[in-house]
Amino acid sequence: MDESRARSLLRAERDEVAGLLREAEKATDADLTAPDSARDYGDEALPLTEEAEDEAIVEDLRERLAAIDRALGRLEAGTYGRSVLSGQPISDERLEADPAAELTVEEARAQR
């Protein structure tokens, strides 16, 4: 994949993920400060469930942001487009689908 195309895709995704992360962190903060307004016994667990879901989303977004930053670092180092595991080339199709891909399709499948 062309470096300028990769950089463009990564920066666009980084901006999107950073925005989503800010929103998710606000939602988590709102859940923590929301007044307890459970209406019946079944509703009492709802704030805890929502908080756990928000925290999971925040963690996933932070991990994605870190993966994008690692990919940008590989771009700067001249190793972008190669597996961090084997050094084998990652296909352009995979990089188009996931610009932050760190492994070849085969390696990613083997790690599942």
Side-chain angles (χ1 to χ4, degrees), residues 1-2 80-83 88-107:
M1 172 181 290
D2 175 81
Y80 181 79
R82 297 211 163 264
S83 166
Q88 294 297 312
I90 300 171
S91 71
D92 284 349
E93 294 82 17
R94 176 158 172 76
L95 292 171
E96 281 288 337
D98 180 5
E102 297 180 315
L103 304 172
T104 65
V105 170
E106 296 79 16
E107 291 168 344

Side-chain angles (χ1 to χ4, degrees), residues 60-92:
D60 286 347
L61 290 169
R62 284 182 181 149
E63 288 175 12
R64 184 62 186 172
L65 203 54
I68 293 167
D69 287 342
R70 289 191 303 271
L72 286 166
R74 288 192 305 278
L75 240 164
E76 295 304 315
T79 59
Y80 181 79
R82 297 211 163 264
S83 166
V84 297
L85 188 63
S86 67
Q88 294 297 312
I90 300 171
S91 71
D92 284 349

Side-chain angles (χ1 to χ4, degrees), residues 9-106:
L9 289 172
L10 288 165
R11 286 184 178 160
E13 185 175 358
R14 189 181 196 297
D15 290 345
E16 180 181 356
V17 172
L20 292 170
L21 179 58
R22 282 189 298 275
E23 290 174 22
E25 287 172 336
K26 285 180 189 175
T28 299
D29 291 343
D31 286 347
L32 293 174
T33 59
D36 186 15
S37 61
R39 284 170 263 157
D40 64 35
Y41 182 75
D43 287 343
E44 289 181 17
L46 188 58
L48 294 174
T49 302
E50 289 173 346
E51 182 181 338
E53 289 173 352
D54 289 344
E55 288 173 359
I57 290 169
V58 165
E59 183 58 30
D60 286 347
L61 290 169
R62 284 182 181 149
E63 288 175 12
R64 184 62 186 172
L65 203 54
I68 293 167
D69 287 342
R70 289 191 303 271
L72 286 166
R74 288 192 305 278
L75 240 164
E76 295 304 315
T79 59
Y80 181 79
R82 297 211 163 264
S83 166
V84 297
L85 188 63
S86 67
Q88 294 297 312
I90 300 171
S91 71
D92 284 349
E93 294 82 17
R94 176 158 172 76
L95 292 171
E96 281 288 337
D98 180 5
E102 297 180 315
L103 304 172
T104 65
V105 170
E106 296 79 16

